[in-house]
Amino acid sequence: MQDNFSTLSRKKWLLHNGRAGRSLGGENCSINDLEPTLTTTLIVLAHPEPHSFNGAWASATQKACEAMGDTVLISDLVAMNFQPVERANNYPHLPSNHHFDALKAQEEAAEQDMLPDDVGREIVKLLRADRVIFHFPIWWFAPPAILKGWFDRVLAHGALHTVERRFDKGHFLGRKALFCVTTGSNEEESAFNGREGDIHMLLWPTAYTLRYLGFSVAVPEIVHGVHGYHHGARKEALEERLVRALKAQTELISEFDRRPLIQFNADEDFNANGRLKSDRPSYSQFIRKAS
């Protein structure tokens, strides 16, 4: 069934593009039912264990946001059994002998109001949200695969981005995102010269994914050394650190709008071929000047 999304999607695109209000009262509301609300926060959790520190940290974020009067939306990807693989059978309307092109399939489905239900529900959450807070660990030098798959499927071409609507012209200009991240490595190992790799570089592709959509991305909040192999005094010290981090989340959320942002190059910093202009700054080793 497509009804949960398709019957409202056209109105929500209009809504999101500024032709009506900013907030949706619910899955089945009409555009005439829209009323202004306080901040809406979407929390995206990518961790398989609800009783993990990541799970507790996401709960602390929820409580802090609700205490400020936010409307809070939750996407607990593992608990939802979100399917992260983009593939042809997500689009049953396609001919069986169809050569699957993910971008074209997404674009056509968005135009025809035939995006999959699970994708549509997540898109509605994103459109409602003024800010998105992601909670996840670093596994093998990257976020868990389920989060990458959520990006692959939910950030659908033709729905949340197009060639014309990206970067400085992205749909989500004015919205903010934050990563709350754990690493198994300690802070020294995660530094710019650490043997586990610079954590800020490891997170950059994920941040740039959101930048592509127009989001501003805050400097991440990172808790290091989170794993189950501590013993004795080291385990006690870790537990004390984690308790402090959970308690500190209230202040982090209250100061959210004052949190510094990751710097990205503006569209005008690139030439007609998409190369960084020689007189423009480089903010990352991913986009750098010729040596």
Side-chain angles (χ1 to χ4, degrees), residues 10 20 34 42 84 142 172 212 214 244 257 259:
R10 295 291 186 193
L34 300 171
L42 170 60
F172 290 90
Y212 190 92
R244 289 197 299 271
D257 288 335
R259 194 173 184 88

Side-chain angles (χ1 to χ4, degrees), residues 145-172:
I146 196 168
L147 182 56
K148 177 58 165 63
W150 187 83
F151 288 140
D152 290 345
R153 296 192 60 216
V154 174
L155 309 185
H157 181 59
L160 297 186
H161 65 91
T162 64
V163 173
E164 295 79 20
R165 298 295 300 274
R166 56 183 179 148
F167 296 118
D168 287 350
K169 300 180 179 68
H171 282 296
F172 290 90

Side-chain angles (χ1 to χ4, degrees), residues 147-277:
L147 182 56
K148 177 58 165 63
W150 187 83
F151 288 140
D152 290 345
R153 296 192 60 216
V154 174
L155 309 185
H157 181 59
L160 297 186
H161 65 91
T162 64
V163 173
E164 295 79 20
R165 298 295 300 274
R166 56 183 179 148
F167 296 118
D168 287 350
K169 300 180 179 68
H171 282 296
F172 290 90
L173 288 176
R175 319 277 184 106
K176 290 184 180 180
L178 169 68
F179 303 147
C180 292
V181 180
T182 62
T183 68
S185 55
N186 63 42
E187 186 172 3
E188 294 295 321
E189 292 172 319
S190 304
F192 71 95
N193 57 352
R195 65 179 176 181
E196 296 279 346
D198 184 344
I199 183 59
H200 294 283
M201 287 193 68
L202 298 182
L203 289 171
W204 192 90
T206 308
Y208 207 61
T209 298
L210 297 172
R211 155 67 178 152
Y212 190 92
L213 299 181
F215 277 99
S216 297
V217 184
V219 171
E221 185 71 13
I222 304 168
V223 178
H224 296 283
V226 181
H227 58 76
Y229 290 91
H230 295 290
H231 299 284
R234 290 179 59 187
K235 182 178 180 181
E236 292 177 4
L238 172 64
E239 290 173 348
E240 290 175 1
R241 282 199 299 116
L242 299 186
V243 168
R244 289 197 299 271
L246 294 178
K247 290 181 178 178
Q249 199 68 358
T250 297
E251 181 178 0
L252 184 151
I253 296 301
S254 68
E255 296 292 320
F256 186 92
D257 288 335
R258 288 180 283 277
R259 194 173 184 88
L261 302 176
I262 298 173
Q263 289 188 291
F264 298 110
N265 287 100
D267 288 352
E268 65 181 15
D269 290 345
F270 299 92
N271 63 25
N273 295 321
R275 292 290 191 101
L276 185 66
K277 295 176 181 177

Side-chain angles (χ1 to χ4, degrees), residues 23-245:
S23 300
L24 288 168
E27 297 278 325
N28 297 314
C29 69
S30 71
I31 233 171
N32 296 323
D33 296 328
L34 300 171
E35 296 178 357
T37 66
L38 297 174
T39 300
T40 296
T41 299
L42 170 60
I43 298 172
V44 180
L45 172 62
H47 197 285
E49 175 49 63
H51 300 294
S52 65
F53 172 70
N54 279 271
W57 202 5
S59 295
T61 295
Q62 179 180 356
K63 291 176 183 177
C65 291
E66 289 175 342
M68 293 180 62
D70 285 15
T71 296
V72 178
L73 310 173
I74 305 290
S75 288
D76 184 341
L77 302 186
V78 177
M80 292 161 50
N81 195 30
F82 183 81
Q83 299 303 309
V85 180
E86 183 65 301
R87 52 192 172 189
N89 64 5
N90 292 331
Y91 303 89
H93 64 283
L94 294 176
S96 58
N97 61 348
H98 181 81
H99 177 79
F100 182 65
D101 181 313
L103 288 180
K104 289 183 178 180
Q106 291 176 355
E107 183 178 32
E108 291 171 5
E111 290 175 350
Q112 298 171 22
D113 293 341
M114 297 186 72
L115 285 168
D117 279 354
D118 58 345
V119 168
R121 287 189 292 268
E122 296 304 290
I123 287 176
V124 169
K125 292 177 189 177
L126 278 169
L127 294 181
R128 291 181 61 183
D130 299 290
R131 60 187 179 189
V132 186
I133 300 177
F134 296 85
H135 284 269
F136 58 88
I138 292 295
W139 289 352
W140 288 114
F141 311 102
I146 196 168
L147 182 56
K148 177 58 165 63
W150 187 83
F151 288 140
D152 290 345
R153 296 192 60 216
V154 174
L155 309 185
H157 181 59
L160 297 186
H161 65 91
T162 64
V163 173
E164 295 79 20
R165 298 295 300 274
R166 56 183 179 148
F167 296 118
D168 287 350
K169 300 180 179 68
H171 282 296
F172 290 90
L173 288 176
R175 319 277 184 106
K176 290 184 180 180
L178 169 68
F179 303 147
C180 292
V181 180
T182 62
T183 68
S185 55
N186 63 42
E187 186 172 3
E188 294 295 321
E189 292 172 319
S190 304
F192 71 95
N193 57 352
R195 65 179 176 181
E196 296 279 346
D198 184 344
I199 183 59
H200 294 283
M201 287 193 68
L202 298 182
L203 289 171
W204 192 90
T206 308
Y208 207 61
T209 298
L210 297 172
R211 155 67 178 152
Y212 190 92
L213 299 181
F215 277 99
S216 297
V217 184
V219 171
E221 185 71 13
I222 304 168
V223 178
H224 296 283
V226 181
H227 58 76
Y229 290 91
H230 295 290
H231 299 284
R234 290 179 59 187
K235 182 178 180 181
E236 292 177 4
L238 172 64
E239 290 173 348
E240 290 175 1
R241 282 199 299 116
L242 299 186
V243 168
R244 289 197 299 271

